[in-house]
Amino acid sequence: QGGGLIVNVSSWAGLYASRLTGPAYNATKRAVLALTESINMEEGMHGIRASSVLPGEVATPILDKRPVPPSQAERERMVQPEDLGQAVLFLAQMPARTCINELVISPTHNRFYTGGLESPRPA
């Protein structure tokens, strides 16, 4: 078709490893960045562009599986699913001559910066 856009979802943990997310998650999300970069190296000349979205905390049900789930008040300050959807729409609406390689989106009140994230500690 001579062009196209691929949007891969990585994570904040793809750039900044975290004990909370764990080594397997950190590694796979970093691999998504390498995959996206490889697509751009190999297919950019064919008009195919790839972007990685790297969200910080997003208020989704998976947060309930954390060792200490965040409170409702904390979740309300996080990136919301519709915010992430708007970010992906932004990528899709960019002209084909542009490639946003990575888009990091985090809560303004970023608990990776401010603290308050509970993670398991080694015994």
Side-chain angles (χ1 to χ4, degrees), residues 40-96:
N40 286 328
M41 286 189 285
E42 294 178 11
E43 298 300 332
M45 67 187 83
H46 300 116
I48 297 170
R49 54 202 169 109
S51 299
S52 285
V53 179
L54 296 89
E57 287 188 294
V58 180
T60 63
I62 199 166
L63 296 174
D64 294 331
K65 297 186 183 298
R66 285 192 174 168
V68 179
S71 69
Q72 184 60 36
E74 290 168 327
R75 291 174 197 232
E76 289 171 4
R77 297 194 317 186
M78 293 177 185
V79 174
Q80 299 300 305
E82 60 269 21
D83 304 333
L84 197 52
Q86 285 289 315
V88 172
L89 180 62
F90 165 72
L91 295 172
Q93 291 177 331
M94 291 299 293

Side-chain angles (χ1 to χ4, degrees), residues 18-23 65-68 117-123:
S18 165
R19 179 173 289 169
L20 175 67
T21 52
K65 297 186 183 298
R66 285 192 174 168
V68 179
L117 289 167
E118 300 296 331
S119 62
R121 299 276 186 233

